[in-house]
Coordinates of all heavy atoms in Angstrom, one line a residue:
M1 N 0.8 -1.2 0.0 CA 0.0 0.0 0.0 C 0.9 1.3 0.0 O 1.9 1.2 0.6 CB -0.9 0.0 1.2 CG -2.1 -1.0 1.2 SD -3.2 -0.8 2.5 CE -2.2 -1.2 3.9
P2 N 0.4 2.3 -0.7 CA 1.2 3.5 -0.8 C 1.1 4.3 0.5 O 0.1 4.2 1.2 CB 0.6 4.3 -2.0 CG -0.8 3.8 -2.0 CD -0.8 2.3 -1.6
I3 N 2.1 5.1 0.8 CA 2.1 6.0 1.9 C 1.9 7.4 1.4 O 2.6 7.8 0.5 CB 3.4 5.9 2.8 CG1 3.6 4.5 3.4 CG2 3.4 6.9 3.9 CD1 4.9 4.4 4.1
Y4 N 0.8 8.0 1.9 CA 0.6 9.4 1.5 C 0.8 10.3 2.6 O 0.6 10.0 3.8 CB -0.9 9.5 1.0 CG -1.1 8.8 -0.3 CD1 -2.0 7.7 -0.3 CD2 -0.6 9.2 -1.5 CE1 -2.3 7.0 -1.5 CE2 -0.9 8.6 -2.7 CZ -1.7 7.5 -2.7 OH -1.9 6.8 -3.8
E5 N 1.2 11.5 2.3 CA 1.3 12.6 3.3 C 0.0 13.4 3.3 O -0.5 13.8 2.3 CB 2.5 13.5 3.0 CG 3.8 12.9 3.3 CD 5.0 13.9 3.2 OE1 5.2 14.4 2.0 OE2 5.5 14.3 4.2
Y6 N -0.4 13.7 4.5 CA -1.6 14.5 4.7 C -1.3 15.7 5.6 O -0.4 15.6 6.5 CB -2.7 13.7 5.4 CG -3.4 12.6 4.4 CD1 -2.8 11.4 4.3 CD2 -4.5 12.9 3.7 CE1 -3.3 10.4 3.4 CE2 -5.1 12.0 2.9 CZ -4.5 10.8 2.8 OH -5.1 9.9 1.9
K7 N -2.0 16.7 5.4 CA -1.9 17.9 6.3 C -3.2 18.2 6.9 O -4.3 18.2 6.3 CB -1.4 19.1 5.5 CG -1.2 20.4 6.4 CD -0.7 21.5 5.6 CE -0.6 22.7 6.5 NZ -0.1 24.0 5.7
C8 N -3.2 18.4 8.2 CA -4.4 18.8 8.9 C -4.7 20.3 8.8 O -3.9 21.1 9.0 CB -4.2 18.4 10.4 SG -5.6 19.0 11.5
N9 N -6.0 20.5 8.4 CA -6.4 21.9 8.3 C -6.7 22.6 9.6 O -6.8 23.8 9.8 CB -7.6 22.1 7.3 CG -7.2 21.9 5.9 OD1 -6.2 22.2 5.4 ND2 -8.2 21.3 5.2
E10 N -6.8 21.7 10.6 CA -7.2 22.2 11.9 C -6.0 22.7 12.7 O -6.0 23.8 13.2 CB -7.9 21.1 12.7 CG -8.6 21.5 13.9 CD -9.8 22.3 13.6 OE1 -10.5 22.2 12.6 OE2 -10.2 23.2 14.5
C11 N -5.0 21.9 12.7 CA -3.8 22.3 13.5 C -2.5 22.4 12.7 O -1.5 22.8 13.2 CB -3.6 21.3 14.7 SG -3.1 19.7 14.1
G12 N -2.6 22.1 11.4 CA -1.4 22.2 10.5 C -0.5 21.1 10.6 O 0.6 21.0 10.0
Q13 N -0.8 20.0 11.3 CA 0.1 18.9 11.5 C 0.2 18.1 10.2 O -0.8 17.9 9.5 CB -0.5 17.9 12.6 CG 0.2 16.6 12.7 CD 1.5 16.7 13.6 OE1 1.8 17.8 14.1 NE2 2.2 15.7 13.7
V14 N 1.4 17.7 9.8 CA 1.6 16.9 8.6 C 2.0 15.5 9.1 O 2.9 15.4 9.9 CB 2.7 17.5 7.7 CG1 3.0 16.6 6.6 CG2 2.3 18.9 7.2
F15 N 1.4 14.6 8.5 CA 1.6 13.2 8.9 C 1.5 12.2 7.7 O 0.9 12.6 6.7 CB 0.6 12.8 10.0 CG -0.8 12.9 9.6 CD1 -1.5 11.7 9.2 CD2 -1.5 14.1 9.7 CE1 -2.9 11.8 8.9 CE2 -2.8 14.2 9.3 CZ -3.5 13.0 8.9
E16 N 2.1 11.1 7.8 CA 2.0 10.1 6.8 C 1.0 9.0 7.2 O 0.9 8.6 8.3 CB 3.4 9.4 6.5 CG 4.4 10.5 6.0 CD 5.8 9.8 5.7 OE1 6.0 8.7 6.3 OE2 6.5 10.4 5.0
E17 N 0.3 8.5 6.2 CA -0.7 7.5 6.4 C -0.7 6.4 5.3 O -0.6 6.7 4.1 CB -2.1 8.2 6.4 CG -3.2 7.3 6.8 CD -3.3 7.1 8.4 OE1 -2.6 7.9 9.1 OE2 -4.0 6.2 8.8
L18 N -0.7 5.2 5.7 CA -0.9 4.1 4.8 C -2.3 4.1 4.3 O -3.2 4.0 5.1 CB -0.5 2.8 5.5 CG 1.0 2.3 5.4 CD1 1.1 1.2 6.3 CD2 1.4 2.0 4.0
V19 N -2.5 4.2 3.0 CA -3.9 4.2 2.5 C -4.1 3.1 1.5 O -3.3 3.0 0.6 CB -4.2 5.6 1.9 CG1 -5.6 5.6 1.4 CG2 -3.9 6.7 2.8
S20 N -5.1 2.3 1.6 CA -5.4 1.3 0.6 C -5.9 1.9 -0.7 O -6.5 3.0 -0.7 CB -6.4 0.3 1.2 OG -7.6 1.0 1.4
A21 N -5.7 1.3 -1.8 CA -6.0 1.8 -3.1 C -7.5 2.1 -3.2 O -7.9 3.0 -3.9 CB -5.6 0.9 -4.2
S22 N -8.3 1.3 -2.5 CA -9.8 1.4 -2.6 C -10.3 2.5 -1.7 O -11.5 2.9 -1.9 CB -10.4 0.1 -2.3 OG -10.1 -0.3 -1.0
S23 N -9.5 3.0 -0.8 CA -10.0 4.0 0.1 C -9.9 5.4 -0.5 O -8.9 5.8 -1.0 CB -9.2 4.0 1.4 OG -9.6 5.0 2.3
T24 N -11.1 6.2 -0.3 CA -11.0 7.5 -0.9 C -11.2 8.5 0.3 O -11.3 9.7 0.1 CB -12.2 7.7 -1.8 OG1 -13.5 7.3 -1.2 CG2 -12.0 6.8 -3.1
E25 N -11.3 8.0 1.5 CA -11.5 8.9 2.6 C -10.2 9.3 3.2 O -9.3 8.6 3.2 CB -12.3 8.2 3.7 CG -13.7 7.9 3.3 CD -14.5 7.3 4.5 OE1 -14.1 7.5 5.6 OE2 -15.6 6.7 4.2
S26 N -10.1 10.6 3.6 CA -8.9 11.1 4.2 C -8.9 10.6 5.7 O -9.9 10.6 6.3 CB -8.9 12.6 4.2 OG -8.8 13.1 2.9
P27 N -7.7 10.3 6.1 CA -7.6 9.8 7.5 C -7.7 11.0 8.5 O -7.5 12.1 8.1 CB -6.1 9.2 7.5 CG -5.4 10.0 6.5 CD -6.4 10.2 5.4
K28 N -8.0 10.7 9.7 CA -8.0 11.7 10.7 C -6.6 12.2 11.1 O -5.7 11.4 11.0 CB -8.8 11.2 11.9 CG -10.3 11.0 11.6 CD -11.0 10.5 12.9 CE -12.5 10.3 12.5 NZ -13.3 9.8 13.7
C29 N -6.6 13.4 11.5 CA -5.3 13.9 12.0 C -4.7 13.1 13.1 O -5.4 12.6 14.0 CB -5.5 15.4 12.5 SG -4.0 16.1 13.2
A30 N -3.4 12.8 13.0 CA -2.7 12.0 13.9 C -2.5 12.7 15.2 O -2.3 12.2 16.3 CB -1.3 11.6 13.4
D31 N -2.7 14.0 15.2 CA -2.4 14.9 16.4 C -3.7 15.3 17.1 O -3.9 15.0 18.3 CB -1.6 16.1 16.0 CG -1.1 16.9 17.2 OD1 -0.7 16.2 18.2 OD2 -1.0 18.1 17.2
C32 N -4.6 15.8 16.4 CA -5.8 16.4 17.0 C -7.1 15.6 16.6 O -8.2 16.0 17.0 CB -6.0 17.9 16.7 SG -6.5 18.2 15.0
K33 N -6.9 14.5 15.8 CA -8.0 13.7 15.4 C -9.1 14.4 14.6 O -10.2 13.8 14.4 CB -8.7 13.0 16.7 CG -7.7 12.4 17.7 CD -6.8 11.4 17.0 CE -5.9 10.8 18.1 NZ -4.8 9.9 17.5
S34 N -8.7 15.5 14.0 CA -9.7 16.2 13.2 C -9.8 15.5 11.8 O -8.8 15.0 11.3 CB -9.2 17.6 12.9 OG -10.1 18.2 11.9
P35 N -11.0 15.3 11.3 CA -11.2 14.7 10.0 C -10.9 15.6 8.8 O -10.9 15.3 7.6 CB -12.7 14.3 10.0 CG -13.3 15.2 10.9 CD -12.3 15.6 12.0
D36 N -10.6 16.9 9.1 CA -10.4 17.9 8.1 C -9.0 17.9 7.7 O -8.1 18.7 8.0 CB -10.8 19.3 8.7 CG -10.7 20.4 7.6 OD1 -10.6 20.0 6.4 OD2 -10.7 21.6 8.0
T37 N -8.6 16.9 6.8 CA -7.2 16.7 6.4 C -7.2 16.7 4.8 O -8.2 16.3 4.2 CB -6.6 15.4 6.9 OG1 -7.4 14.3 6.5 CG2 -6.5 15.5 8.4
V38 N -6.1 17.1 4.2 CA -5.9 17.1 2.8 C -4.7 16.3 2.4 O -3.7 16.3 3.1 CB -5.9 18.5 2.2 CG1 -7.2 19.2 2.4 CG2 -4.8 19.3 2.9
K39 N -4.8 15.6 1.3 CA -3.6 14.9 0.8 C -2.6 15.8 0.2 O -3.0 16.7 -0.6 CB -4.0 13.8 -0.2 CG -2.9 12.9 -0.7 CD -3.4 12.0 -1.8 CE -4.4 11.1 -1.4 NZ -4.8 10.2 -2.5
L40 N -1.4 15.7 0.5 CA -0.3 16.6 0.0 C 0.1 16.1 -1.4 O 0.3 14.9 -1.6 CB 0.9 16.7 1.0 CG 0.6 17.4 2.3 CD1 1.8 17.4 3.1 CD2 0.0 18.8 2.1
L41 N 0.5 17.0 -2.2 CA 0.9 16.7 -3.6 C 2.3 16.1 -3.6 O 2.7 15.4 -4.5 CB 0.9 17.9 -4.5 CG -0.5 18.5 -4.8 CD1 -0.3 19.8 -5.6 CD2 -1.3 17.5 -5.6
S42 N 3.1 16.3 -2.5 CA 4.4 15.8 -2.5 C 4.5 14.3 -2.6 O 5.5 13.8 -3.0 CB 5.1 16.3 -1.3 OG 4.4 15.9 -0.1
A43 N 3.5 13.7 -2.2 CA 3.5 12.2 -2.2 C 3.6 11.6 -3.6 O 4.1 10.6 -3.8 CB 2.2 11.7 -1.5
C44 N 3.1 12.3 -4.6 CA 3.0 11.9 -5.9 C 4.4 11.8 -6.6 O 4.7 11.1 -7.4 CB 2.1 12.7 -6.8 SG 2.7 14.4 -7.1
C45 N 5.3 12.7 -6.1 CA 6.7 12.7 -6.5 C 7.4 11.4 -6.1 O 8.2 10.9 -6.9 CB 7.4 13.9 -6.0 SG 6.9 15.5 -6.7
K46 N 7.2 11.0 -4.9 CA 7.9 9.8 -4.4 C 7.5 8.6 -5.2 O 8.3 7.9 -5.7 CB 7.5 9.7 -2.9 CG 8.1 10.8 -2.1 CD 7.6 10.6 -0.6 CE 8.1 11.7 0.3 NZ 7.6 11.6 1.7
S47 N 6.2 8.5 -5.5 CA 5.7 7.3 -6.2 C 6.1 7.4 -7.6 O 6.4 6.4 -8.2 CB 4.1 7.2 -6.0 OG 3.6 8.4 -6.6
A48 N 6.1 8.6 -8.2 CA 6.5 8.7 -9.6 C 7.9 8.4 -9.8 O 8.3 7.7 -10.8 CB 6.2 10.2 -10.1
S49 N 8.9 8.9 -8.9 CA 10.2 8.6 -9.1 C 10.6 7.2 -8.8 O 11.5 6.6 -9.4 CB 11.0 9.6 -8.2 OG 10.7 9.3 -6.8
A50 N 9.8 6.6 -7.9 CA 10.0 5.2 -7.6 C 9.6 4.2 -8.6 O 10.2 3.1 -8.8 CB 9.3 4.9 -6.2
S51 N 8.6 4.6 -9.4 CA 8.0 3.7 -10.3 C 8.5 3.9 -11.8 O 8.2 3.2 -12.7 CB 6.5 3.7 -10.3 OG 6.1 5.0 -10.6
S52 N 9.2 5.0 -12.0 CA 9.7 5.4 -13.3 C 10.7 4.5 -13.8 O 10.9 4.2 -15.0 CB 10.2 6.8 -13.4 OG 11.3 7.0 -12.5
G53 N 11.5 3.9 -12.9 CA 12.5 3.0 -13.3 C 13.7 3.6 -14.0 O 13.9 4.9 -13.9
S54 N 14.5 2.9 -14.8 CA 15.6 3.4 -15.5 C 15.3 3.5 -17.0 O 14.7 2.6 -17.5 CB 16.9 2.6 -15.3 OG 16.7 1.3 -15.7
G55 N 15.8 4.5 -17.6 CA 15.7 4.6 -19.1 C 14.5 5.3 -19.5 O 14.4 5.8 -20.7
S56 N 13.5 5.5 -18.7 CA 12.3 6.2 -19.1 C 12.3 7.6 -18.4 O 12.5 7.7 -17.2 CB 11.0 5.4 -18.8 OG 11.0 5.2 -17.4
Y57 N 12.0 8.6 -19.2 CA 12.0 10.0 -18.7 C 10.6 10.3 -18.2 O 9.6 10.3 -19.0 CB 12.5 11.0 -19.7 CG 12.3 12.4 -19.3 CD1 13.1 13.0 -18.3 CD2 11.3 13.2 -19.8 CE1 12.9 14.2 -17.9 CE2 11.2 14.5 -19.5 CZ 11.9 15.0 -18.4 OH 11.8 16.3 -18.0
A58 N 10.5 10.7 -17.0 CA 9.2 11.1 -16.5 C 9.2 12.7 -16.2 O 10.1 13.1 -15.5 CB 8.8 10.4 -15.1
P59 N 8.5 13.4 -16.9 CA 8.5 14.9 -16.7 C 8.0 15.3 -15.3 O 7.2 14.6 -14.8 CB 7.5 15.4 -17.8 CG 6.6 14.3 -18.0 CD 7.4 13.0 -17.9
P60 N 8.6 16.3 -14.8 CA 8.2 16.7 -13.4 C 6.8 17.2 -13.4 O 6.3 17.8 -14.3 CB 9.2 17.8 -13.1 CG 9.7 18.3 -14.4 CD 9.7 17.1 -15.3
I61 N 6.2 16.9 -12.4 CA 4.8 17.4 -12.2 C 4.8 18.8 -11.7 O 5.4 19.1 -10.7 CB 4.0 16.4 -11.2 CG1 4.1 15.0 -11.8 CG2 2.6 16.9 -11.0 CD1 3.5 14.0 -10.8
E62 N 4.0 19.6 -12.4 CA 4.0 21.1 -12.0 C 3.4 21.2 -10.6 O 2.4 20.6 -10.3 CB 3.2 21.8 -13.0 CG 3.3 23.3 -12.8 CD 2.6 24.1 -13.9 OE1 2.1 23.5 -14.8 OE2 2.5 25.3 -13.8
G63 N 4.1 22.1 -9.9 CA 3.6 22.3 -8.5 C 3.9 21.2 -7.5 O 3.4 21.2 -6.4
C64 N 4.8 20.3 -8.0 CA 5.0 19.2 -7.1 C 6.5 19.0 -6.9 O 7.2 18.9 -8.0 CB 4.4 17.9 -7.7 SG 4.6 16.5 -6.5
G65 N 7.1 19.0 -5.8 CA 8.5 18.8 -5.6 C 9.1 20.1 -5.0 O 8.4 21.1 -4.8
P66 N 10.4 20.0 -4.6 CA 11.1 21.1 -3.9 C 11.1 22.3 -4.7 O 10.9 23.4 -4.2 CB 12.5 20.5 -3.8 CG 12.4 19.0 -3.9 CD 11.2 18.7 -4.8
S67 N 11.3 22.3 -6.1 CA 11.4 23.5 -6.9 C 10.1 24.1 -7.0 O 10.0 25.4 -7.1 CB 12.0 23.2 -8.3 OG 11.1 22.2 -8.9
G68 N 9.0 23.4 -7.1 CA 7.7 24.0 -7.3 C 7.0 24.2 -6.0 O 5.8 24.7 -6.0
F69 N 7.6 23.9 -4.9 CA 6.9 23.9 -3.6 C 7.0 25.4 -3.0 O 8.1 25.9 -3.0 CB 7.4 23.0 -2.6 CG 6.7 22.9 -1.3 CD1 5.4 22.2 -1.3 CD2 7.2 23.5 -0.2 CE1 4.7 22.2 -0.1 CE2 6.5 23.4 1.0 CZ 5.3 22.8 1.0
S70 N 6.0 26.0 -2.7 CA 6.1 27.3 -2.1 C 5.3 27.4 -0.8 O 4.2 26.8 -0.8 CB 5.6 28.3 -3.1 OG 4.3 28.1 -3.4
Ligands
ZN101 ZN1 -4.8 18.3 13.6

């Protein structure tokens, strides 16, 4: 199962969560248990770079990664 990063809109806590592929619900905050959490885009970079393998060029995803992160 992939690990996604989530950010809590309630307290700003960022945490990682194992999420099954069939699950569409955001997990509750690990700190304050608020259900108001959003998936961070940074998680897609990890999975993209890990699955791209060698020899195949994967274009960077706009707004995702250290250079595009603001
Ligand atoms: Zn929280």
